[in-house]
Amino acid sequence: MKLTSKISPYDIRWSILFHAAKAQIAKAFGTELIDIHHVGSTAVLGLAAKPEIDILIEVSAHINETARNNVMRGLGYVRGSDLSSGHHFYRRDINGVRTHKVHVCISGHREIDRMLRFRDMLINHQKIRQSYQDLKLELEKSNTGGIAEYLIRKAPFIENVMESLTD
């Protein structure tokens, strides 16, 4: 079993792809939209990543989900399972390859702060960014269980970084 995408060197086009998706997606959220953020490794200049644009959308509430799902579907996104209460998930694949992941969280949800803080830590700390990249490349080489294994095996690193922010 393989990952959803191969880890690639940083690509400046990731920022362009985020901004294009942001402009399209915003219309799906109407008055509930608070903000749209580029998160994940593709948001970190110089960091190798799976070329899947991670988008975090902060909303005031989950309003009229049927209409939102229809707009998102029209843009090529499929609604996945909720990741937790108040945390919805969409994915976009093109020709069987994952290109975008969208997290939609109600304002105040703990994942908003967590995703933004981890992204900012990687942006601002070269040594942590390099260690994270080295880990991801090693996990990709040794992966036999697909994306679930990859996520589980990099979780301790992320937890340690997040704990260091509260120390």
Side-chain angles (χ1 to χ4, degrees):
M1 195 177 290
K2 61 182 182 173
L3 300 180
T4 50
S5 300
K6 183 175 174 20
I7 295 174
S8 305
Y10 179 80
D11 188 333
I12 193 68
R13 291 176 292 179
W14 294 340
S15 177
I16 295 165
L17 291 168
F18 162 73
H19 287 288
K22 178 181 177 179
Q24 289 181 326
I25 289 171
K27 62 186 166 196
F29 293 89
T31 60
E32 68 187 303
L33 179 64
I34 294 173
D35 209 344
I36 301 177
H37 306 276
H38 190 184
V39 295
S41 294
T42 61
V44 180
L45 184 67
L47 181 61
K50 291 186 281 89
E52 302 171 6
I53 308 305
D54 282 294
I55 300 169
L56 169 61
I57 300 176
E58 183 178 359
V59 295
S60 58
H62 290 298
I63 301 169
N64 200 353
E65 293 177 43
T66 301
R68 177 204 302 164
N69 291 343
N70 288 337
V71 172
M72 292 295 283
R73 192 175 311 109
L75 296 171
Y77 293 86
V78 174
R79 172 86 183 260
S81 299
D82 292 354
L83 299 179
S84 66
S85 179
H87 184 173
H88 296 179
F89 180 76
Y90 295 85
R91 68 185 182 281
R92 183 174 185 218
D93 298 351
I94 296 178
N95 297 323
V97 176
R98 177 81 26 94
T99 63
H100 294 72
K101 296 177 288 194
V102 178
H103 300 264
V104 183
C105 295
I106 294 175
S107 186
H109 195 287
R110 76 176 210 96
E111 283 303 311
I112 295 170
D113 180 61
R114 184 176 169 76
M115 285 186 220
L116 294 175
R117 286 176 50 221
F118 186 67
R119 178 204 62 195
D120 293 347
M121 174 66 84
L122 293 173
I123 289 170
N124 295 316
H125 297 277
Q126 191 276 329
K127 190 173 183 177
I128 295 171
R129 182 173 57 248
Q130 185 63 52
S131 294
Y132 188 53
Q133 177 172 290
D134 293 346
L135 171 66
K136 292 187 333 168
L137 292 169
E138 179 56 38
L139 293 176
E140 179 183 50
K141 275 195 270 184
S142 63
N143 186 281
T144 58
I147 191 66
E149 174 191 305
Y150 174 79
L151 295 173
I152 288 168
R153 291 183 61 206
K154 71 178 190 168
F157 179 92
I158 296 168
E159 288 304 318
N160 287 336
V161 168
M162 297 309 292
E163 285 176 17
S164 74
L165 292 174
T166 59
D167 292 346

